[in-house]
Structure formats: structure tokens, C-alpha cells
Amino acid sequence: MKKIYITTPIYYVNDNPHIGTAYTTILADVLSRFYNITGTQSFMLTGSDEHGQKVQEAADKREVSPIEHVDEYVLRFTELWSKLNIKYDDFIRTTEKRHQDRVKDMLNNLWEKGEIYQDEYEGSYSVSEERFITAKEIEDGNFKQIIKLKEKNYFFKMSKYQEDLIKHIKETPDFIKPESRKNEVLGFLKNPLNDLCISRPKSRLSWGIELPFDDKYVTYVWFDALLNYITAIGWNVDSEKFNDCWPADYHLVGKDIITTHAVYWPTMLMAAKLPLPKTILAHGWWLFDDSKMSKSTGNIIDPLKLIDLYGEDSLRYYLMRDMALGQDANYNLDKLIKRYNSDLANDFGNLVNRVTVLIKKHYNNMVPEPGDYNENDLKIIAKSKKTIQNVIANFNNLKIHNAIEEVMSLFRDLNKFLEINEPWKLLKQDSDSLIAATTLYISINALYIGTQLLHPVMPKKTLEISNMLGASEINIINEEFDILKPNNAIGEGRSPFPRIEEK
Ligand code: MSP
């Protein structure tokens, strides 16, 4: 059965991961988990981009061989993913045989079809960007270390697919998201597309996959890297697995790598006669004091430190809540702490405490039996059901920050509902108060619904809270309200989100 196939870029292992790179991986994990709790199987892929000049230079600097370097650095990524509770289905390294062999298959395939040719090319080459650049790009001034280079190389006939690509982008509204990025790509395609230089002579760079038809060359790192999306799922060797996943539903990328994904990659697939991915989704950047967080600027925030201090779910929550997909966002520790205290400690945590403490104290740890519902009860039940629909719709539209806000609004309403009904007061006067029992019955069920809906964002905390509420697992979401039945035993647990002191 076709699964929802979600990919992240594969990260260069030339340095440590930071919250910018962590963001895409968390986003992929959140989407993948969302599909799982709504009953759809997903396949999430991430990995590492281990060839090319950047990695070779990083290894040279440390005076180790490239393979020693990548073997060591890749662990920094896999360790972070495990600390962030990322549940990927596969992790592909481009130095693995399964990847290299398939890249060679693809090169042979395109070479035999006449989609690749050799030519001598003289032009401007950006050493930092590792590719020939156009006169327009020089004019734009975004590239460093530009040299003149005359070299015999292999070229992929990318230009041949320009018109088909433009047509596809225009006819397929979901192909590039958001709209602003789509327009940027269409703007780029207004200029004639060059063919893509896909080789590097070994005399200049040896760290790469050797061309199967010319051993004096290695493959251009982007041509090698983009293919990970199909090599990992068994292209050319395991057609069942491949067909279960391909075409990809979401290629998640940062806005800086939209051209490689929305131009190079689809034209490569067209030449190979493979279907194109359904959606390439470009998110914005995490900025620090308004400039891009990046290795070269040195303004990097280390996610490991934040996880140690505040826990992985707090970081996942902040990154998902404070970035509107597609736009840039400024990272700010004070904002992270404020967000945690107001949403998680105050609204969510307080609600969990109120409900579980009262049920423990007055109902011997069991969900109380409700009486008849009044108008306010029905209102809050309706809101809970509506929240399920709204959260699903927001996830489907990739508005994760809005999905989170919907749940928080339910929690705030539930806190108000408790404050209006004051079950703590009623129970002091009459331990059999039907209003108190009904209020708590409704509250624990609505709270459980909200907890489940936040599971993709905070997998560990929501499972802990579900256990506190007496559910042993996260169920597949449906619109049923009464999941925690009367007399269901609630579990143990302490305040899930202790307040963090603000400076
Ligand atoms: N190796 C290539 C991708 C190949 S995919 C076939 C690459 N790697 S990278 O490590 O440099 O960047 C990976 C991703 O991290 C990109 O999507 C990039 O946009 C993202 N980010 C890097 N810095 C970022 C921020 N400050 N904020 C958000 N994302 C950023 O490019």
C-alpha cells in the first residue's frame, strides 16, 4: 500500500547540527507522526550528504581521511536525532554501497539514453558553491571564491526539460509550496536553463562516486545527493518497496536549496522517466538577531544544550509553534521560555494537575460517572470535536503552528470551564455532586483528546500525560469523545511541565 513518503534534506557532515537543521528533521517527524495517529502509514527518510568538496575540506582541516571524518561526524547527527526522539524509518548515508551502486545505475542509464554528454566548458566557477555559475548569478553577488575554469566535463541535458518543467509547475498547484517559492522558481526559469555539469575531474576533487563510464571523474555532489530520495527506497532493486513510497509526498527543504530540488531534481527524474514528487515544501530560516543562523557566521544555537536544559519536547514545541511554515523566524531563548511557561506550564500542565488531583482525591483514582449534560457541557464537548477537525485540517494544510494554537485554545477553554464550575468547591460541600462529576468527566476526556492531538509535536510528554490520564497509549484519532470511560483507573505522574524561572 502506498505510504506517505516524507524526506528531509540530507545534511552535510562537515560540522555539527544546529537548530536550523534540527528544525527540518523535527518537522518531518511531526508530519510523519501526525499521519500515523490519523491512521495513515508513513515512511520518513533522513540521512547525510557525505561526498564533495565541503566534506573533503573539513577532513583535510582535521588531517583525517574523508571516510574517517564522515564516520565520526555522522554520529553527531544520529545522536541528536535520537535525543530529539525522531522516529525515522531509514537513514541513508551517501557513502553506503546501496546508494553508490544505484547512483552508478542511474548514471549508466542516462549515459546509455544519450542524456549525458562530454564537453569542454569554460566559465566562472564558484569554489564555495562547487559549481559553474551564470553571468546573472555573478551580478547578483551571492557567490564567493569565483575563479575562471576551463575543463572537460560531463553534462546532463537539463535544458531539454525546461518547457516541460515550467508546464508541470504551472499545472500542479501543490508541486512547489509556498506560492512565493513557486514564483521564485518560475522567475528563475524565465532565463534559459543551462545543461548541468555532473562531473568533477579527480585531479581537482577525488572524494565522490566515480563515474561508471569514466574513471577519471567523480559525480557532482548534488547529482549524487538528490538521488538519495530514490536509492534509499530500493529504486532499481526492490520495486515493491519503491512503489510503496514513490512518488514522495513531501520533500521538506530550506528555502536556500529550492533550485536544486525544484529544477535539477525534477529534470533528472524526467530524464529517467520516473514520476515527480508531489510537493516540494520550502521552509524559511531560523534567524538569530535577524541574520541566518549558519556555520559560516558562527551564530549557531546548539540544540543539545537546549535539550539538556529544557527537554526535547519543549524545544520541539517551540520550533513548531513559533515558525509559520514558509516564513523566517527569529530564535530567542526568552521567547522559548515564555512560550513554555504560558502554554505548557500554565495552560496544559495546570489543566493536567487540576483534573488528576481532583480525581485522585475525590474519586479514588477513577474517572467519575457523569450526569446529564447542560448547555455549557455540550458546548465544550462540541469544541473538543471541532478541535479534532480543525487540527487535522491545519496539519493537512501544513499550518502546524495553527494546529497547535487550536489545541491550546481548547485547553484555555477547559481551564475556564473548570473555573466557572469550581468542582473543587462543590466537592467540599457534597462529595456526590453530579455537576462536579460531570465537569471532571468532560474535562478528562477533552484533555485526553488535546493531548493526543499534540502527540506528533511532543511525543514523550504526551505519552506520559496520557498515562497519567489512564490511557496506556496514543490511539488513532477519531471523533469519538468518550474514550476514558467511567471507572477507568487513572495513572500516576507528577506535574508534567514545571515552571522555568524567567530572567
Ligand atoms: N547537503 C545539502 C542538501 C542535500 S539534499 C539532497 C545541504 N545540506 S546542509 O546541511 O547545508 O543544509 C541542510 C538543510 O538545513 C537545508 O534545507 C537548509 O535550508 C537547512 N538550514 C540550514 N540553516 C538553516 C537555518 N538557519 N534555518 C532553517 N534551516 C536552515 O544543503
Side-chain angles (χ1 to χ4, degrees):
M1 231 209 355
K2 173 80 175 82
K3 295 176 181 163
I4 295 276
Y5 181 31
I6 303 166
T7 68
T8 74
I10 49 172
Y11 303 102
Y12 287 127
V13 280
N14 55 347
D15 211 334
N16 293 338
H18 56 83
I19 64 160
T21 41
Y23 171 77
T24 328
T25 313
I26 296 172
L27 175 63
D29 185 57
V30 169
L31 283 176
S32 176
R33 288 178 186 268
F34 161 74
Y35 282 107
N36 295 161
I37 64 161
T38 46
T40 307
Q41 269 202 54
S42 61
F43 189 92
M44 180 201 151
L45 176 71
T46 187
S48 49
D49 194 351
E50 303 194 352
H51 291 126
Q53 193 169 301
K54 286 194 172 89
V55 172
Q56 168 133 34
E57 276 170 6
D60 289 349
K61 223 166 137 191
R62 298 178 58 227
E63 295 180 357
V64 296
S65 70
I67 192 70
E68 277 176 291
H69 172 81
V70 294
D71 281 349
E72 192 186 321
Y73 268 64
V74 71
L75 298 176
R76 303 185 181 198
F77 285 80
T78 49
E79 273 163 20
L80 175 62
W81 303 155
S82 120
K83 286 205 161 168
L84 278 170
N85 208 352
I86 305 288
K87 205 173 80 184
Y88 50 73
D89 295 284
D90 201 352
F91 186 99
I92 185 139
R93 300 181 56 183
T94 53
T95 47
E96 283 176 77
K97 188 171 179 331
R98 62 168 172 155
H99 175 75
Q100 305 213 33
D101 285 352
R102 298 292 81 71
V103 170
K104 288 182 182 169
D105 289 352
M106 180 59 84
L107 285 161
N108 272 330
N109 172 344
L110 298 183
W111 175 244
E112 279 155 22
K113 281 191 191 153
E115 297 282 347
I116 291 173
Y117 61 93
Q118 196 184 33
D119 197 11
E120 185 159 63
Y121 184 79
E122 186 172 8
S124 302
Y125 187 86
S126 158
V127 179
S128 60
E129 215 44 37
E130 294 182 62
R131 63 176 178 91
F132 284 101
I133 54 174
T134 60
K136 165 110 188 15
E137 284 174 321
I138 299 178
E139 209 182 284
D140 293 345
N142 293 330
F143 297 101
K144 291 176 285 185
Q145 294 173 277
I146 302 168
I147 54 170
K148 281 265 175 251
L149 205 65
K150 185 176 176 184
E151 216 170 59
K152 239 189 186 163
N153 265 310
Y154 287 87
F155 291 83
F156 160 54
K157 292 184 181 166
M158 184 159 77
S159 58
K160 176 172 151 188
Y161 297 99
Q162 179 159 9
E163 288 315 311
D164 286 348
L165 179 60
I166 294 174
K167 190 162 173 273
H168 183 80
I169 296 173
K170 288 190 171 159
E171 285 174 359
T172 322
D174 285 345
F175 186 56
I176 303 173
K177 280 184 170 175
E179 193 73 14
S180 54
R181 297 291 154 222
K182 171 181 163 172
N183 295 335
E184 182 186 310
V185 174
L186 284 172
F188 175 83
L189 287 169
K190 279 198 178 124
N191 299 313
L193 205 52
N194 291 331
D195 287 342
L196 182 66
C197 178
I198 56 143
S199 64
R200 296 293 180 265
K202 280 189 184 167
S203 53
R204 202 151 58 73
L205 174 75
S206 57
W207 182 235
I209 301 176
E210 190 176 275
L211 290 188
F213 41 81
D214 191 337
D215 63 9
K216 290 188 290 306
Y217 292 86
V218 295
T219 312
Y220 170 44
V221 67
W222 271 102
F223 192 90
D224 159 357
L226 287 162
L227 284 167
N228 90 87
Y229 300 133
I230 60 171
T231 63
I233 51 164
W235 170 72
N236 224 18
V237 280
D238 184 345
S239 57
E240 197 180 322
K241 185 171 181 194
F242 183 70
N243 292 327
D244 277 351
C245 292
W246 197 257
D249 293 84
Y250 294 110
H251 282 321
L252 305 180
V253 299
K255 63 181 182 181
D256 50 327
I257 55 173
I258 187 73
T259 312
T260 46
H261 282 82
V263 179
Y264 297 6
W265 179 226
T267 54
M268 285 163 66
L269 289 165
M270 282 175 177
K273 307 230 171 329
L274 286 169
L276 304 191
K278 291 190 192 153
T279 297
I280 300 160
L281 178 74
H283 62 73
W285 285 337
W286 278 96
L287 309 173
F288 192 86
D289 287 341
D290 290 319
S291 66
K292 187 190 176 209
M293 202 178 286
S294 75
K295 294 156 196 161
S296 48
T297 7
N299 56 357
I300 279 174
I301 300 295
D302 180 0
L304 287 174
K305 282 204 189 115
L306 294 173
I307 296 170
D308 283 348
L309 283 170
Y310 310 113
E312 76 274 20
D313 279 344
S314 318
L315 178 60
R316 290 173 64 113
Y317 183 80
Y318 169 70
L319 293 180
M320 290 300 113
R321 177 62 187 81
D322 270 30
M323 180 176 267
L325 242 173
Q327 291 161 29
D328 292 345
N330 254 306
Y331 169 82
N332 182 303
L333 182 61
D334 289 345
K335 263 167 67 188
L336 183 153
I337 294 176
K338 282 213 167 75
R339 191 45 94 198
Y340 173 96
N341 279 341
S342 69
D343 292 8
L344 300 181
N346 261 9
D347 295 340
F348 193 5
N350 197 13
L351 184 61
V352 174
N353 288 341
R354 280 172 154 175
V355 170
T356 51
V357 165
L358 285 174
I359 292 181
K360 245 182 225 152
K361 195 164 158 198
H362 298 278
Y363 298 96
N364 195 22
N365 274 333
M366 312 250 241
V367 176
E369 179 97 43
D372 291 339
Y373 294 146
N374 66 23
E375 204 182 317
N376 274 345
D377 299 337
L378 291 170
K379 252 195 207 155
I380 200 93
I381 294 173
K383 165 115 185 185
S384 307
K385 292 186 179 171
K386 188 83 187 123
T387 304
I388 301 176
Q389 290 167 2
N390 291 351
V391 166
I392 293 177
N394 273 309
F395 263 108
N396 285 329
N397 290 324
L398 303 162
K399 301 225 181 297
I400 294 171
H401 60 296
N402 287 347
I404 295 175
E405 188 43 39
E406 288 283 342
V407 181
M408 284 302 148
S409 154
L410 173 66
F411 289 164
R412 284 192 294 268
D413 283 8
L414 277 169
N415 274 319
K416 266 187 232 143
F417 176 68
L418 285 166
E419 278 149 26
I420 290 168
N421 288 354
E422 297 184 305
W424 42 86
K425 259 197 192 158
L426 297 175
L427 286 165
K428 261 193 203 150
Q429 293 150 7
D430 168 13
S431 60
D432 288 331
S433 159
L434 253 190
I435 298 182
T438 312
T439 304
L440 287 168
Y441 175 80
I442 291 173
S443 301
I444 195 167
N445 273 293
L447 170 58
Y448 180 53
I449 287 176
T451 304
Q452 293 198 98
L453 291 171
L454 286 181
H455 180 69
V457 178
M458 295 184 289
K460 192 163 130 207
K461 280 286 175 193
T462 51
L463 197 57
E464 268 172 43
I465 294 169
S466 294
N467 288 332
M468 284 174 78
L469 303 181
S472 55
E473 56 185 16
I474 300 292
N475 296 305
I476 303 271
I477 305 273
N478 57 33
E479 281 185 38
E480 198 187 331
F481 180 78
D482 310 73
I483 299 178
L484 306 174
K485 303 285 182 212
N487 297 322
N488 203 47
I490 68 163
E492 286 300 313
R494 284 194 293 150
S495 187
F497 301 108
R499 273 188 85 79
I500 302 175
E501 209 171 311
E502 289 178 38
K503 274 179 264 152

